[in-house]
Amino acid sequence: MGFFKREHPLQITREQAMSARPVRHPAIEATRDEKGEISLKIPRRKTWFVNLLARFGGIPEHRIVTLDAVGTGVWDLCDGRHSVKDLIATVAEQHKLSRKEAEVSLVTYLRQLAARGLIALEVEEEKKGKA
């Protein structure tokens, strides 16, 4: 099983989701331009079919995605040290949003990043036998 792949969807509680820590995929290179925005260099998948297409169709080895200022700020915080709850508070404060507005926007964005394999969420497992 590869990095960021699961055999079945993980069921977690809201509390676990809010305390989860987003981490960047280690194979993605990030570079910052003169405006401070980040460009992500994302390697293409290495399946036999994509390799065959690349050989005959000129598919590049990497794809470049440039994040805007908000996306750059979120990417910087996806370092494995900040929880989703921390990110929500930071986004709400920086962009003068209510906590609920920041939560809806941020969770949607994190889901998109996760669906594309750019980040994963480290979820702490509940302690068995709590007293």
Side-chain angles (χ1 to χ4, degrees):
M1 190 156 85
F3 188 78
F4 291 107
K5 292 184 181 179
R6 316 187 275 259
E7 293 176 10
H8 55 81
L10 178 65
Q11 298 295 320
I12 61 174
T13 65
R14 176 178 167 73
E15 184 179 317
Q16 287 174 313
M18 289 294 126
S19 65
R21 300 182 185 283
V23 292
R24 302 174 207 130
H25 192 292
I28 296 174
E29 295 177 37
T31 56
R32 196 173 301 268
D33 65 14
E34 63 280 351
K35 293 186 281 184
E37 294 177 347
I38 290 180
S39 292
L40 304 177
K41 185 176 179 182
I42 305 164
R44 72 172 158 81
R45 298 183 191 268
K46 302 285 187 186
T47 64
W48 70 269
F49 184 70
V50 172
N51 287 339
L52 181 66
L53 285 177
R55 179 173 286 223
F56 296 107
I59 296 174
E61 287 291 317
H62 295 87
R63 136 180 93 112
I64 305 294
V65 174
T66 303
L67 304 177
D68 63 6
V70 177
T72 294
V74 172
W75 183 261
D76 285 339
L77 294 171
C78 291
D79 57 7
R81 294 186 311 230
H82 298 91
S83 68
V84 171
K85 195 182 316 180
D86 297 338
L87 271 70
I88 291 168
T90 301
V91 168
E93 182 181 322
Q94 287 178 346
H95 301 285
K96 308 293 188 251
L97 300 171
S98 71
R99 188 186 184 298
K100 189 65 175 172
E101 289 172 323
E103 180 178 335
V104 169
S105 299
L106 184 70
V107 168
T108 300
Y109 186 60
L110 291 176
R111 281 184 181 156
Q112 290 173 348
L113 292 176
R116 290 184 172 108
L118 304 180
I119 65 165
L121 294 175
E122 289 182 345
V123 179
E124 291 185 27
E125 294 187 29
E126 290 183 22
K127 304 274 192 278
K128 302 280 189 225
K130 286 186 194 176

